[in-house]
Amino acid sequence: MPKKIAAGNWKMNGLRAALGEARAIAEGAPSGIVTLLCPPATLLAAMPEGLATGGQCCHTNETGAHTGDVSAEMLADAGATYCITGHSERRADHGERDADVLAQTEAAWRAGLTAILCIGETLEQREAGRTLDVLSAQLAGSLPEGATAENTVVAYEPVWAIGTGKVASPEQVAEVHDALRAQVGPDMSLLYGGSVKAANAADIFELGNVDGALVGGASLRAADFLPIAEALAAR
Ligand code: PEP
């Protein structure tokens, strides 16, 4: 059975003053699911007990002359057990391509982290009817051999739905997740990401092949994130 995961991606948000929100999320996290926060690397070591934590990306090397980068081993050393790889913002802002995402995913595994591998189509690709082909090619190019339900989670994040308030319809999510399930097997967790909020979470979690969510904006505050985690736990 896939694990149910409510994952929050804080992106480049969060000073130490935000740790109170993380504590409130840890205290209110429902049982029976994984509640996970991926804060900026600067906050990882200060995150409260009772939450799983993850990095947002990693360098592919363990150490070396790579100013400003953080290795998967450093994330693990700071307490992380997960690492997001291939987020569309990394692909757009840092030119990360499928081969880079594959290498980062392998680096995450090397450090004992579970990779949350993100894939997603642009609006242009969706409107051209290419969604499933694009996603299948991204997965083929970025999911390393040796992926298992223990070391990898796949997050479907339509680029046009991230941070835009436009959530994919249940039919759109179901079509993609059913296709992904056929590709990755019965046990790997499949998350949906893209403007998930308390108001739409339950409808998304009702879908058979959705095992949780990767949440950006609505993960910054306990009052917004906990109802999403609770909706998942209640499914
Ligand atoms: C994300 O960053 O992965 C994301 C889905 O963001 P948001 O929930 O803000 O759309």
Side-chain angles (χ1 to χ4, degrees):
M1 281 284 284
K3 261 189 231 148
K4 294 201 265 184
I5 304 173
N9 172 14
W10 278 13
K11 312 189 183 193
M12 199 173 72
N13 297 293
L15 303 176
R16 281 182 297 164
L19 288 170
E21 292 296 334
R23 278 193 292 275
I25 291 169
E27 279 160 19
S31 55
I33 67 165
V34 177
T35 302
L36 161 72
L37 285 182
C38 300
T42 49
L43 289 185
L44 264 179
M47 294 299 274
E49 298 281 311
L51 273 182
T53 60
Q56 299 176 7
C57 66
C58 63
H59 196 277
T60 54
N61 290 357
E62 189 173 342
T63 57
H66 303 289
T67 302
D69 282 317
V70 175
S71 71
E73 282 75 8
M74 290 168 175
L75 297 173
D77 188 52
T81 52
Y82 287 80
C83 184
I84 297 170
T85 60
H87 193 282
S88 61
E89 287 157 11
R90 297 290 308 176
R91 294 177 190 256
D93 294 356
H94 296 270
E96 292 180 3
R97 307 171 76 101
D98 287 343
D100 305 308
V101 178
L102 184 144
Q104 280 190 37
T105 301
E106 288 182 328
W109 295 352
R110 183 188 66 217
L113 305 177
T114 298
I116 302 178
L117 196 165
C118 301
I119 56 173
E121 83 286 1
T122 63
L123 189 57
E124 194 185 11
Q125 290 165 334
R126 173 161 285 277
E127 285 176 347
R130 296 176 49 221
T131 298
L132 293 184
D133 288 346
V134 166
L135 297 175
S136 168
Q138 279 183 7
L139 202 55
S142 56
L143 186 65
E145 270 185 42
T148 67
E150 283 69 47
N151 65 20
T152 306
V153 171
V154 171
Y156 166 51
E157 298 213 304
V159 177
W160 50 271
I162 295 179
T164 58
K166 288 184 197 154
V167 64
S169 70
E171 294 73 26
Q172 289 171 324
V173 178
E175 182 192 31
V176 168
H177 279 240
D178 291 352
L180 291 175
R181 174 64 67 219
Q183 265 186 283
V184 302
D187 295 325
M188 193 175 286
S189 299
L190 296 175
L191 311 186
Y192 168 76
S195 299
V196 175
K197 310 265 180 274
N200 57 31
D203 287 346
I204 295 166
F205 296 150
E206 252 177 37
L207 302 170
N209 284 318
V210 175
D211 307 305
L214 181 54
V215 182
S219 70
L220 292 170
R221 292 167 41 87
D224 296 326
F225 191 50
L226 284 174
I228 296 172
E230 281 156 12
L232 180 63
R235 188 187 81 180

